[in-house]
Amino acid sequence: MRTLWRFGCSARLLKTNHSRTAAPNTSFPAVWMLLAQHSGRIPGLFVAAQKANFCTMRETVEENGSPELYSPHPKVRGMTLLNREAFKRTVVVPVLKVKKEIVHALLKALKHTVLQRPGLKRVIEDPEDEGSKLVILDPHQVPEFSLGQAEQEVLKQLNIPPEVSRYNLELTYENFKSEEILRAVLPEGQDVTSGFSRVGHIAHFNLRDHQLPYKHLIGQVIIDKNPGITCVVNKTSIIDSTYRNFEMEVLAGESNLVTKVKENNISYELDFAKVYWNPRLSTEHGRIVELLKPGDVLFDVFAGIGPFAIPAAKKKCVVFANDLNPESYKWLLHNCKLNKVDNKIKAFNLDGRDFLLGPVREELSKALALEKEAQKPAVHIVMNLPASALEFLDVFRHLLVGEPCSAAVLPTVHCYGFSKHENPAKEIQEQAEASLGASLDGRCATYLVRNVAPNKEMLCISFQVPADVLYKRPCPAEEKPASKRLCTGKDFTEENVVS
């Protein structure tokens, strides 16, 4: 089938081979209903997530009219140490002389012709006449310092002389936008950094090599132009695969990297230098939490500081949260107390595999052993470690012993991964199937989380663990009962002995 993948304002078609026909003993209907209820779409459909807390500096500048209005003085080109005074320049702009009492009426009548640039006054004092004001017109709309017929008719109705005068407008560093300043400073033809992630008072950049000579200037400009930002950092290494943090350099401002953020109306505190936090995952955190209902059980295998676990606990779910990074574990406990859910979350500082084989297996056995199906809560397992989480799925092979329970209560896994494949959904599904040792055709839904880099996507694959994968059935009684061997149906070994 052909699947529509929506990302930003563009759309493209990806070919996927997800089957809609459930295999025998599949849990497809349950996971379909669970996910379709949230998304309104069938499994296998990519759903694009919105980016959050990603601050862009890209502002389009018109090429016609007076480009000087949007450009600092040319002498700032190549500057590496910020000198704000060097940005001063004087430009000639068109103005109308207007009586004070009709200024408001003129602004309303010529709202598309008067200057609309943020940070610049469009009405200034007339140095020659106390009873009048000077209304600055947009040089792009009045390039020849003369008004069109429609504008002249408006002036006639308001009894305003149609003469357009020239005015020397002084621009300073404060009047220019971030991208305009950086475009003027960096060598011509080179990319200007267009955005950054904001984490509390910290602006986080991933600068390119050609931007590094200007890194300290870039940092100071960002602090100057963004109220509330007091520290700018640049990533200097790739994310560590063990603890998901990276080396960073402070480019400007204070060196305090302990910050406070708010996501989906929940506050978190963290040390940005020691734990992983990505504000662009806000929508994805909210999407998963929306799937949960009060009383559900959530196992968060790579919990970080708690963006899945804490809102789930506030939703009155039973939460087990784990992270291998001691610093993440520390801030997870801190944020649980901060949000008053420390008595609702059981936190662990274990390797993800040990967490799955230990607490998860133990609690799953308890939850799925309840006699009445109505008593069995829905179980969700979140595995947000996209660099390697798919490799952990082999843990679910025969994780439990006994007869399969109802398909409706099999645990639902939300596992994240990266893909550079031309068909990311297909690749992620194939990787998951390889780890599970079973097909997920017709049993899974794949969501686009975000674009990480050119030709690199982050995705989430959601599925209920098939019963024939999750359960190892006991051997028939006639097969050497004294040895208490276990079998899987087709084959068995004597190494697995029940104590």
Side-chain angles (χ1 to χ4, degrees):
M1 75 187 226
R2 290 174 69 82
T3 301
L4 181 64
W5 174 12
R6 298 189 304 162
F7 182 61
C9 296
S10 63
R12 50 181 168 147
L13 290 176
L14 294 178
K15 293 182 180 178
T16 60
N17 297 314
H18 299 318
S19 169
R20 299 190 192 181
T21 304
N25 298 323
T26 178
S27 58
F28 171 62
V31 72
W32 185 355
M33 292 300 295
L34 173 68
L35 296 172
Q37 181 180 7
H38 170 71
S39 67
R41 294 171 171 83
I42 61 173
L45 187 64
F46 265 151
V47 179
Q50 298 176 355
K51 296 180 181 179
N53 293 315
F54 180 69
C55 306
T56 63
M57 300 187 299
R58 192 177 301 282
E59 296 114 357
T60 302
V61 178
E62 297 184 40
E63 296 299 329
N64 62 332
S66 177
E68 294 84 4
L69 189 63
Y70 301 96
S71 302
H73 198 285
K75 68 181 179 182
V76 302
R77 179 79 65 192
M79 178 187 294
T80 56
L81 182 64
L82 183 61
N83 176 8
R84 297 176 182 83
E85 290 296 314
F87 287 82
K88 286 184 178 180
R89 77 177 308 170
T90 300
V91 296
V92 180
V93 295
V95 296
L96 283 173
K97 183 172 182 178
V98 183
K99 293 295 183 181
K100 287 183 177 181
E101 56 269 20
I102 57 175
V103 166
H104 181 72
L106 176 67
L107 293 177
K108 187 175 181 180
L110 295 183
K111 61 181 179 181
H112 298 299
T113 307
V114 298
L115 185 67
Q116 300 290 336
R117 182 164 172 78
L120 285 179
K121 294 181 178 180
R122 52 186 177 176
V123 180
I124 56 178
E125 297 294 333
D126 183 350
E128 299 177 356
D129 184 355
E130 293 183 357
S132 299
K133 296 279 189 178
L134 297 179
V135 176
I136 302 177
L137 305 178
D138 188 341
H140 296 152
Q141 303 299 325
V142 192
E144 302 297 329
F145 289 83
S146 61
L147 294 169
Q149 188 63 38
E151 288 82 5
Q152 291 188 37
E153 185 63 31
V154 170
L155 297 184
K156 184 177 180 180
Q157 293 176 6
L158 295 174
N159 198 27
I160 299 174
E163 291 81 14
V164 177
S165 303
R166 287 170 165 78
Y167 178 79
N168 292 328
L169 178 66
E170 185 180 78
L171 301 176
T172 67
Y173 173 81
E174 286 70 27
N175 299 129
F176 296 109
K177 302 174 185 179
S178 300
E179 189 183 2
E180 293 165 353
I181 292 172
L182 299 180
R183 189 190 302 112
V185 168
L186 269 65
E188 290 187 79
Q190 291 192 356
D191 292 338
V192 175
T193 183
S194 60
F196 55 92
S197 296
R198 181 164 185 169
V199 183
H201 67 278
I202 303 167
H204 169 221
F205 277 90
N206 294 325
L207 294 180
R208 299 178 182 178
D209 290 343
H210 73 269
Q211 297 163 344
L212 294 178
Y214 309 92
K215 60 186 179 181
H216 296 297
L217 180 145
I218 291 172
Q220 190 57 56
V221 170
I222 296 306
I223 289 177
D224 290 346
K225 298 297 180 178
N226 294 273
I229 289 181
T230 58
C231 175
V232 179
V233 301
N234 180 46
K235 185 171 79 171
T236 59
S237 69
I238 62 173
I239 294 178
D240 180 85
S241 59
T242 303
Y243 289 158
R244 292 195 294 174
N245 50 18
F246 48 81
E247 296 295 325
M248 64 181 72
E249 175 188 12
V250 176
L251 303 182
E254 59 182 312
S255 297
N256 175 27
L257 297 181
V258 175
T259 189
K260 187 171 184 176
V261 297
K262 195 167 187 178
E263 179 183 274
N264 300 327
N265 297 315
I266 295 178
S267 296
Y268 302 89
E269 293 180 354
L270 62 132
D271 187 335
F272 191 54
K274 297 179 180 178
V275 305
Y276 178 80
W277 179 264
N278 191 333
R280 302 179 202 185
L281 295 178
S282 170
T283 299
E284 181 62 13
H285 295 151
R287 183 183 75 84
I288 294 296
V289 173
E290 261 190 64
L291 296 173
L292 308 177
K293 296 179 180 179
D296 286 354
V297 178
L298 173 68
F299 297 101
D300 194 350
V301 184
F302 311 104
I305 66 168
F308 287 114
I310 291 173
K314 281 186 166 290
K315 206 171 181 179
K316 298 183 179 179
C317 295
V318 178
V319 180
F320 299 83
N322 172 74
D323 202 281
L324 176 63
N325 183 354
E327 285 291 328
S328 294
Y329 175 71
K330 182 184 80 173
W331 287 102
L332 171 64
L333 296 178
H334 174 83
N335 287 310
C336 287
K337 291 182 180 179
L338 180 67
N339 289 282
K340 300 178 181 179
V341 292
D342 47 309
N343 62 338
K344 299 178 182 179
I345 296 178
K346 293 184 179 180
F348 301 84
N349 182 207
L350 300 172
D351 175 79
R353 189 171 293 272
D354 293 336
F355 178 63
L356 289 165
L357 291 170
V360 174
R361 176 160 58 182
E362 180 181 348
E363 295 299 328
L364 272 180
S365 298
K366 292 178 183 177
L368 300 181
L370 295 174
E371 293 185 2
K372 294 182 180 179
E373 186 169 315
Q375 296 176 327
K376 296 177 181 178
V379 177
H380 294 259
I381 302 173
V382 175
M383 303 174 68
N384 184 19
L385 185 66
S388 59
L390 291 162
E391 300 171 8
F392 286 73
L393 293 179
D394 66 309
V395 170
F396 293 106
R397 294 189 187 187
H398 305 151
L399 183 66
L400 303 180
V401 176
E403 289 298 324
C405 63
S406 166
V409 293
L410 289 169
T412 298
V413 173
H414 309 281
C415 188
Y416 294 82
F418 292 132
S419 175
K420 294 183 178 180
H421 196 272
E422 62 179 8
N423 190 335
K426 180 180 178 182
E427 182 184 41
I428 291 295
Q429 180 178 332
E430 289 176 348
Q431 290 182 24
E433 291 173 338
S435 292
L436 290 170
S439 172
L440 291 176
D441 277 349
R443 307 183 186 193
C444 66
T446 306
Y447 294 83
L448 171 66
V449 177
R450 71 184 186 98
N451 177 258
V452 178
N455 301 316
K456 183 178 181 181
E457 316 294 347
M458 178 179 173
L459 303 97
C460 174
I461 182 168
S462 296
F463 59 91
Q464 282 187 294
V465 183
D468 53 349
V469 172
L470 185 63
Y471 281 91
K472 177 178 288 188
R473 296 181 178 87
C475 285
E478 62 269 21
E479 291 284 343
K480 297 184 180 180
S483 67
K484 298 182 181 179
R485 293 177 301 169
L486 302 178
C487 67
T488 63
K490 291 183 179 180
D491 58 327
F492 57 88
T493 62
E494 294 187 320
E495 288 87 0
N496 298 311
V497 180
V498 177
S499 58

